[in-house]
């Protein structure tokens, strides 16, 4: 007789009582809710640094019915289960980052709590046992009020064992990623199939009979074949992978958005050729980084990459800088000197801010691009250079041509292969990777140990419009690394401390489930509040009458202690000048025994 594929195999040597610790309760959910942010003006919802969606449940029911009708029951079940599996895998990484310092159960509880926070179901544990070190887990739990059975299902679905496909897939993906091994969750009882509740069991795949079928269904389809399970990477690791994709240079462009991938695809296509490339985009989008990336992916990568900022060189010197000068070409030219074209011979010349070139310099540049020939300033000897030119500008060259400040024939010569780099506000999916990249860089550069950002700081970075693009983000993060206290996360006050504000508040989830603007609390506010609590506890324990001077002294000492002895920081918390606080502390210590 065939075995029931959902048959339970109880752990040997363990009683039911052993599996249900009486003090097993999910921790407070506020730390998860604090990572959920809403940006209505940008049409985005973020959970930490991942984009989320808020959809009608009816849309899911309609999709499920259509999948069953078009693909059949088993194929539809596989698709929906895999959707849940992928979401669970990503949330397991989030759980480890959020509660990495908590107990194993408190960290694991993020998954069940996210079920509830997303409106999928309430998870009610019946039995639970987990040992992360040995990879063992056994859990029986109920999908209470499962969203997948809210709508009446058809008779064909009722004939199948279990209807909570996405929930079971999510739980399998979450547990597998958390435990770093294949954990299979099966629904052993379902209300859609006549059961009293939607009950599921989680255990290692090897402890289930006939587990291969389920494991195969959890792997995504690629064409007509199944792909190996994809390892889900954290934003910081993705940033490292992105940087190392072409070379180990820490100045390589970083990103993971569709727009970023499109740019790299264009670079890969044009890099092996000799074509001139024109990089277009706003100031600060990283045109110089992409120019270097193009050079590094070209056959010229072993030769020189010479960058020239045309806007930084006076017009009267620009011609000699580009083409060189012979002895006596101008006052002070005591020896012949080669220009940037000669330095870049065999390699790449990057001309940034090309629109600032004078019309004379534009004419000579046009000749070099057409023939590869030029003369040094003050010389009649024609020289040759094998140079691949990459130009960049943030100007509207079409308008410059109409205004008569840029040669039309030069534009057509430069515009062989244009690459448009979108502003950062149009590729927000790159922001989490850039944050991880620049935090790591500047923490190392300035010898700081910082655990990351607070949720409100991350929300502010994700929602900001970034008119200065990547360069502005880089500067904001470097300033934050410098201003933040050692061992403390970067807060919003550190990032936007120099008079630069945010466009608006990102909304977050309030205690009553409503969307509210975040409280702009600073580290100074927190430290001051702690000092007040300490003084309050001291006053509560006093039996004698209140003494205002003694209370003020106690508050001053508490603030100084909370500031780790930093007199200026403590004074700011107390709204005093440093001299005022220093005077008070000296008086307090003078009254102490032996003072």
């Amino acid at each position: 007789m065939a075995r029931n594929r959902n048959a339970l195999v109880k752990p040997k040597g363990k009683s039911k009582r052993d599996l249900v610790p009486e003090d097993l309760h999910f921790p407070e959910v506020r730390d998860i809710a604090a990572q959920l942010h809403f940006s209505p003006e940008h049409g985005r919802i973020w959970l930490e640094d991942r984009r989320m969606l808020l959809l009608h449940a009816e849309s899911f029911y309609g999709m499920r019915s259509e999948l069953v009708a078009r693909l059949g029951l088993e194929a539809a079940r596989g698709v929906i289960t895999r959707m849940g599996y992928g979401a669970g895998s990503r949330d397991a990484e989030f759980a480890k980052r959020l509660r990495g310092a908590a107990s194993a159960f408190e960290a694991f509880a993020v998954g069940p709590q996210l079920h509830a926070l997303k409106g999928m179901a309430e998870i009610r544990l019946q039995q639970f046992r987990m040992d992360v070190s040995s990879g063992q887990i056994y859990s029986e739990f109920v999908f209470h009020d499962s969203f997948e059975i809210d709508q009446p299902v058809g008779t064909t679905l009722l004939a199948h064992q279990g209807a909570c496909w996405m929930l079971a897939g999510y739980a399998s993906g979450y547990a597998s990623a958390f435990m770093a091994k294949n954990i299979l969750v099966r629904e052993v009882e379902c209300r859609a199939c006549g059961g009293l509740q939607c009950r599921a069991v989680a255990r290692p795949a090897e402890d289930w009979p006939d587990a291969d079928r389920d494991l195969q269904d959890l792997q995504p389809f690629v064409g007509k074949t199944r792909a190996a399970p994809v390892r889900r990477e954290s934003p910081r690791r993705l940033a490292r992978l992105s940087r190392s994709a072409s070379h180990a240079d820490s100045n390589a462009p970083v990103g993971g958005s569709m727009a970023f991938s499109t740019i790299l695809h264009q670079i890969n296509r044009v890099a092996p050729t000799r074509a001139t490339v024109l990089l277009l985009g706003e100031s600060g989008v990283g045109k110089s980084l992409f120019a270097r990336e193009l050079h590094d992916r070209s056959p010229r990568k072993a030769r020189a990459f010479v960058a020239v900022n045309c806007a930084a060189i006076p017009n009267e010197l620009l011609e000699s800088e580009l083409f060189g000068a012979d002895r006596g070409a101008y006052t002070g030219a005591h020896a012949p000197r080669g220009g940037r074209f000669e330095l870049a011979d065999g390699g790449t010349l990057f001309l940034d801010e090309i629109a600032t070139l004078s019309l004379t310099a534009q004419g000579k540049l046009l000749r070099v691009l057409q023939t590869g020939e030029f003369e040094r300033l003050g010389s009649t000897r024609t020289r040759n250079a094998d140079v691949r030119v990459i130009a960049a500008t943030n100007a509207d060259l079409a308008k410059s041509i109409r205004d008569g400040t840029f040669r039309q024939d030069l534009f057509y010569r430069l515009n062989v292969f244009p690459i448009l780099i979108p502003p950062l506000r149009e590729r927000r999916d790159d922001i989490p990777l850039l944050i991880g990249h620049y935090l790591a860089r500047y923490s190392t550069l300035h010898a700081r140990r910082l655990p990351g950002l607070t949720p409100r700081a991350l929300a502010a970075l994700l929602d900001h419009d970034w008119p200065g693009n990547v360069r502005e983000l880089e500067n904001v993060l470097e300033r934050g690394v410098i201003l933040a206290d050692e061992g403390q996360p970067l807060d919003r006050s550190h990032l936007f401390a120099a008079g630069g504000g945010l466009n608006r508040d990102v909304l977050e989830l309030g205690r009553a489930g409503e969307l509210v603007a975040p409280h702009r609390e600073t580290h100074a506010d927190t430290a001051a509040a702690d000092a007040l609590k300490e003084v309050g506890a001291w006053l509560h324990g006093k039996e004698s009458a209140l003494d205002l001077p003694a209370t003020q002294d106690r508050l001053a000492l508490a603030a100084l202690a909370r500031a780790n002895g930093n007199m200026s920081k403590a004074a700011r918390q107390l709204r005093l000048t440093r001299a005022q606080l220093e005077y008070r502390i000296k008086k307090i210590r003078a009254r102490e025994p032996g003072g």
Side-chain angles (χ1 to χ4, degrees):
M1 181 180 295
R3 297 177 63 185
N4 182 349
R5 63 191 294 270
N6 286 340
L8 295 181
V9 182
K10 296 286 187 179
K12 295 180 180 179
K14 299 294 182 181
S15 68
K16 183 175 180 180
R17 183 179 182 84
D18 293 330
L19 298 172
V20 193
E22 294 180 358
D23 59 345
L24 201 60
H25 300 290
F26 290 143
E28 171 64 40
V29 76
R30 292 305 308 169
D31 59 337
I32 303 176
Q35 301 287 342
L36 186 62
H37 304 284
F38 298 80
S39 179
E41 295 193 31
H42 287 143
R44 288 180 176 251
I45 303 172
W46 301 89
L47 178 63
E48 196 189 39
D49 54 12
R50 291 189 182 275
R51 189 171 182 178
M52 309 294 289
L53 298 175
L54 188 63
L55 297 173
H56 290 285
E58 288 82 357
S59 299
F60 170 80
Y61 305 143
M63 181 193 71
R64 180 178 62 185
S65 298
E66 186 165 346
L67 286 174
V68 171
R70 289 177 177 268
L71 305 179
L73 187 63
E74 288 300 324
R77 173 182 176 272
V79 170
I80 293 175
T81 303
R82 284 191 292 276
M83 289 174 60
Y85 188 92
S89 298
R90 291 179 176 88
D91 284 350
E93 295 173 0
F94 166 68
K96 291 179 179 180
R97 292 193 298 273
L98 183 66
R99 293 181 182 166
S103 69
F105 174 73
E106 289 176 331
F108 187 84
V110 170
Q113 290 180 295
L114 278 173
H115 265 85
L117 192 61
K118 294 177 182 180
M120 299 167 69
E122 177 191 354
I123 305 301
R124 294 183 176 179
L125 288 179
Q126 294 183 328
Q127 301 184 45
F128 187 87
R129 182 177 183 82
M130 181 177 67
D131 184 355
V132 178
S133 60
S134 64
Q136 294 300 310
I137 184 172
Y138 180 84
S139 177
E140 291 187 29
F141 53 94
V142 171
F143 296 128
H144 179 71
D145 201 14
S146 165
F147 86 102
E148 292 193 76
I149 63 168
D150 268 0
Q151 185 190 53
V153 292
T155 56
T156 56
L157 193 59
L158 285 172
H160 191 75
Q161 178 65 40
C164 300
W165 301 340
M166 183 172 285
L167 291 175
Y170 179 98
S172 295
Y174 182 86
S176 297
F178 191 92
M179 301 293 289
K181 66 178 295 185
N182 285 328
I183 307 297
L184 185 57
V185 176
R186 283 178 174 170
E187 194 178 12
V188 297
E189 183 182 0
C190 185
R191 289 173 54 203
C193 304
L196 296 177
Q197 56 191 354
C198 297
R199 186 166 61 93
V201 174
R203 57 186 309 117
E206 62 267 22
D207 292 345
W208 283 102
D210 307 321
D212 291 343
R213 167 89 176 273
D214 293 277
L215 294 177
Q216 187 180 21
D217 284 342
L218 291 175
Q219 296 178 13
F221 279 106
V222 178
K224 295 183 179 180
T225 62
R226 293 185 183 275
V230 178
R231 178 179 178 181
R232 306 297 180 182
E233 304 292 359
S234 67
R236 185 162 293 182
R237 176 171 171 79
L238 279 173
R240 291 198 300 269
L241 292 175
S242 177
R243 294 196 303 273
S244 63
S246 58
H247 52 75
D249 184 2
S250 63
N251 289 319
V254 173
S257 66
M258 182 61 70
F260 182 86
S261 299
T262 300
I263 295 168
L264 291 188
H265 173 72
Q266 292 175 307
I267 287 176
N268 282 330
R269 296 290 301 204
V270 75
T273 72
R274 299 174 58 90
T276 302
V277 177
L278 179 61
L279 300 177
L280 304 169
E282 296 179 5
S283 178
V285 294
K287 294 186 290 292
S288 60
L289 297 183
F290 284 109
R292 182 65 194 237
E293 188 74 8
L294 195 158
H295 170 77
D296 288 345
R297 298 188 183 207
S298 75
R300 299 169 178 260
K301 62 182 178 181
R303 304 301 293 271
F305 175 82
V306 179
V308 180
N309 186 345
C310 300
I313 303 174
N315 281 332
E316 59 270 19
L317 298 179
L318 187 59
E319 188 175 343
S320 64
E321 285 294 322
L322 289 179
F323 308 112
D326 263 4
R327 179 179 178 180
Y330 54 85
T331 303
H334 302 299
R337 179 175 60 85
R340 305 298 176 90
F341 269 92
E342 291 179 66
L343 291 176
D345 191 22
T348 302
L349 179 65
F350 173 52
L351 300 176
D352 199 7
E353 304 292 349
I354 190 74
T356 63
L357 285 177
S358 67
L359 290 174
T360 302
Q362 290 178 36
K364 294 195 173 185
L365 176 61
L366 177 63
R367 180 191 173 195
V368 180
L369 293 176
Q370 288 175 332
T371 66
E373 298 177 346
F374 64 94
E375 290 90 26
R376 287 180 179 175
L377 189 66
S379 172
T380 58
R381 176 189 167 190
T382 299
R383 301 172 184 270
N384 296 88
D386 175 21
V387 175
R388 203 264 184 82
V389 172
I390 302 174
T393 182
N394 59 7
D396 183 350
L397 291 183
K399 182 177 183 301
S400 299
I401 292 171
R402 292 194 300 271
D403 294 342
T405 59
F406 199 82
R407 294 179 59 129
Q408 188 175 37
D409 49 0
L410 177 59
F411 169 73
Y412 290 133
R413 180 62 64 175
L414 291 172
N415 199 42
V416 176
F417 196 94
I419 297 178
L420 176 63
I421 304 173
L424 188 57
R425 62 183 173 274
E426 294 180 9
R427 48 188 180 101
R428 292 181 181 274
D429 290 343
D430 290 339
I431 295 177
L433 301 181
L434 289 165
I435 291 172
H437 171 63
Y438 287 122
L439 274 185
R441 173 194 286 186
Y442 290 118
S443 294
T444 301
L445 179 65
H446 299 298
R448 306 298 300 276
R449 297 180 61 185
L450 306 172
L453 299 97
T454 64
R456 61 172 168 261
L458 178 60
L461 293 174
L462 292 173
D463 188 62
H464 191 47
D465 272 344
W466 300 112
N469 293 295
V470 178
R471 186 181 296 124
E472 182 188 4
L473 174 63
E474 180 180 358
N475 293 340
V476 162
L477 288 171
E478 182 174 15
R479 178 169 65 241
V481 168
I482 295 171
L483 290 175
D485 295 329
E486 183 74 13
Q488 296 295 321
L490 272 70
D491 204 354
R492 178 171 165 156
S493 59
H494 301 133
L495 300 171
F496 299 92
L502 299 180
N503 300 328
R504 61 191 68 82
D505 280 324
V506 185
L507 302 179
E508 63 181 24
L509 197 62
R511 291 190 175 274
E514 77 284 16
L515 295 182
V516 297
H519 172 57
R520 296 190 180 186
E521 184 183 69
T522 66
H523 285 303
D525 295 332
T526 303
D530 290 341
L532 287 171
K533 290 179 183 177
E534 184 176 316
V535 173
W538 173 73
L539 289 172
H540 184 71
K542 288 182 65 66
E543 297 179 356
S544 57
L546 294 179
D547 183 344
L548 181 59
T551 303
Q552 292 174 333
D553 291 346
R554 187 79 182 190
L555 181 59
L557 292 171
L560 187 61
R562 291 289 176 182
N564 295 318
N566 187 320
M567 193 73 69
S568 298
K569 184 177 179 181
R572 288 195 298 270
Q573 294 169 10
L574 295 171
R575 305 295 190 268
L576 298 174
T577 66
R578 177 189 170 91
Q580 289 173 323
L581 180 60
E582 197 168 16
Y583 176 74
R584 180 177 288 276
I585 295 296
K586 284 181 180 180
K587 288 182 62 178
I588 294 171
R589 290 173 177 168
R591 292 195 297 269
E592 293 176 349

